[in-house]
Amino acid sequence: MKRRILGGTGISVSEYALGAMMFGSWANQDHDDSVRIIHRALDAGINFVDTADVYSSGESEDIVGKALKGRREEVVLATKVHSSMGPDENHSGNSRRWIVREIENSLRRLGTDYIDLYQIHRPDPTTDIDETLAALSDLVRAGKVRAVGSSTFPAEQIVEAQWASERRGHVRFRSEQPPYSILARSVEAAVLPTAQKYGMGVLTWGPLSAGWLSGRYTKASDIDLTGGRAAIEKHKFDPSLPENARKLEAVSELAELASDAGLSLPHLAIAFVRSHPAITSVIIGPRTMEQLEDLLAGADAELSEDVLDRIDEIVPPGTDLNRADSYYVPPALADKARRRRRPETGAGAA
């Protein structure tokens, strides 16, 4: 397994990172099987493991902690904070109050006294980035965290965080973790160039685009909207929607291209993400040992210029075939009150 340096930190990480979202109640509920999958990944040369507090409400971190007993020092361990961990509104977000509390919970679940890469899972419009970075800086100084990063931040907020770190003397985000696949390429326009400008490492998630590039969908009837992820996020799977019909058409063309290149569709998809010069590591998220073995088999796949050019023809650079696959909606768009001037009241109102 080839290695790259994470964002100038000097930390050497494998080109594949093992994502642990599928371990726990959200997917693979067998802890022993999940531990075996993690061990197999480590034995194959993957030294980068990525999880989050919210995955299966902490269960994923518990499983990763079990798997790393006796092997912690050989692993670059990443986790995240931000998402809701309970009904209390203060048990989420990017405030100092929550970060300094939740890091202790993650350390306990993971069975370690430090996190190699602690990431802010999403932007928080209610918290000043200066507040967040100050809290993270204290964690680094305390030895609980080695480096910090962001996840699914738009380019302008990456820049704002870098400026705040410089002006306030905080530690800075050394990495960004965006969604990136052949079907969801919008990060190529600004996020990836911005990360490169600031010397940030990039570990991407969703290279198989929520299963679209796994090879399981070849026609509309293959998509079951009554169960699994497709039932929860129908707007990303329903083939009757024009944006998803475009995805299905692209998948058909990509499968043919992969076959002509002597590759499986998943191997083509991950090799495409790895080929971008901004990318440090690609997160793979297997649920089963069989899935892991298949992904490992494509770890050395390289794409020719001709194949990359053909991919650009099928899905143009910087394009998301379904805008929902960006996984982040700016508050200015999500909250209609931010887009509508309140009607004037009282004297002088029309």
Side-chain angles (χ1 to χ4, degrees), residues 23-99:
F23 304 143
S25 61
W26 287 6
N28 189 340
Q29 300 179 35
D30 186 327
H31 284 210
D32 291 338
D33 185 48
S34 296
V35 167
R36 284 192 292 270
I37 293 171
I38 295 171
H39 286 171
R40 172 66 183 112
L42 300 183
D43 292 341
I46 293 177
N47 79 327
F48 202 3
V49 177
D50 177 81
T51 185
D53 57 353
V54 73
Y55 296 163
S56 297
S57 301
E59 190 180 357
S60 172
E61 288 186 329
D62 283 331
I63 293 170
V64 170
K66 292 176 184 177
L68 297 189
K69 286 182 179 178
R71 306 188 68 167
R72 174 66 184 91
E73 291 304 313
E74 66 185 83
V75 172
V76 178
L77 180 59
T79 192
K80 312 179 198 74
V81 62
H82 166 83
S83 300
S84 177
M85 294 296 286
D88 190 325
E89 291 184 2
N90 285 321
H91 291 180
S92 64
N94 302 344
S95 69
R96 170 183 288 274
R97 186 181 191 274
W98 178 237
I99 288 171

Side-chain angles (χ1 to χ4, degrees), residues 64-326:
V64 170
K66 292 176 184 177
L68 297 189
K69 286 182 179 178
R71 306 188 68 167
R72 174 66 184 91
E73 291 304 313
E74 66 185 83
V75 172
V76 178
L77 180 59
T79 192
K80 312 179 198 74
V81 62
H82 166 83
S83 300
S84 177
M85 294 296 286
D88 190 325
E89 291 184 2
N90 285 321
H91 291 180
S92 64
N94 302 344
S95 69
R96 170 183 288 274
R97 186 181 191 274
W98 178 237
I99 288 171
V100 299
R101 173 173 176 175
E102 186 61 358
I103 184 69
E104 300 299 335
N105 292 331
S106 286
L107 290 170
R108 172 179 46 79
R109 288 188 291 258
L110 289 163
T112 186
D113 58 3
Y114 70 98
I115 303 298
D116 293 293
L117 179 64
Y118 199 44
Q119 302 157 101
I120 300 300
H121 210 156
R122 292 290 190 277
D124 178 359
T126 69
T127 304
D128 193 312
I129 190 63
D130 181 64
E131 173 86 0
T132 300
L133 291 167
L136 294 173
S137 297
D138 288 345
L139 295 182
V140 172
R141 284 190 283 268
K144 296 179 180 181
V145 171
R146 300 294 189 255
V148 300
S150 55
S151 176
T152 319
F153 271 48
E156 66 272 15
Q157 294 197 35
I158 294 174
V159 173
E160 181 186 9
Q162 294 290 328
W163 286 2
S165 293
E166 180 180 350
R167 293 171 179 175
R168 299 289 189 176
H170 302 317
V171 298
R172 67 186 184 92
F173 287 146
R174 306 298 302 209
S175 66
E176 162 60 14
Q177 185 182 138
Y180 183 37
S181 75
I182 296 176
L183 303 182
R185 302 182 61 174
S186 63
V187 295
E188 294 173 340
V191 170
L192 297 186
T194 300
Q196 288 177 295
K197 177 179 178 63
Y198 289 101
M200 299 169 70
V202 178
L203 54 155
T204 66
W205 57 275
L208 300 185
S209 199
W212 278 93
L213 297 171
S214 67
R216 77 179 68 159
Y217 304 133
T218 59
K219 53 187 182 299
S221 60
D222 293 331
I223 302 174
D224 181 6
L225 297 176
T226 65
R229 193 166 188 169
I232 299 172
E233 299 181 303
K234 288 185 178 180
H235 60 298
K236 297 179 184 179
F237 290 89
D238 187 347
S240 69
L241 299 177
E243 52 268 46
N244 295 327
R246 288 196 295 270
K247 287 202 289 189
L248 197 59
E249 181 180 351
V251 167
S252 177
E253 294 183 64
L254 290 166
E256 183 177 348
L257 176 62
S259 178
D260 291 344
L263 298 170
S264 70
L265 181 56
H267 293 174
L268 174 86
I270 295 178
F272 165 81
V273 174
R274 282 177 39 245
S275 72
H276 195 290
I279 305 307
T280 308
S281 188
V282 181
I283 296 174
I284 57 171
R287 179 178 53 84
T288 67
M289 187 69 78
E290 180 182 13
Q291 290 173 351
L292 174 63
E293 294 291 356
D294 177 68
L295 294 172
L296 290 173
D300 295 325
E302 300 286 346
L303 304 184
S304 69
E305 286 292 319
D306 288 344
V307 170
L308 290 170
D309 287 344
R310 178 64 183 126
I311 290 173
D312 286 350
E313 292 173 0
I314 296 170
V315 182
T319 301
D320 286 346
L321 294 187
N322 185 335
R323 187 181 298 179
D325 289 332
S326 69

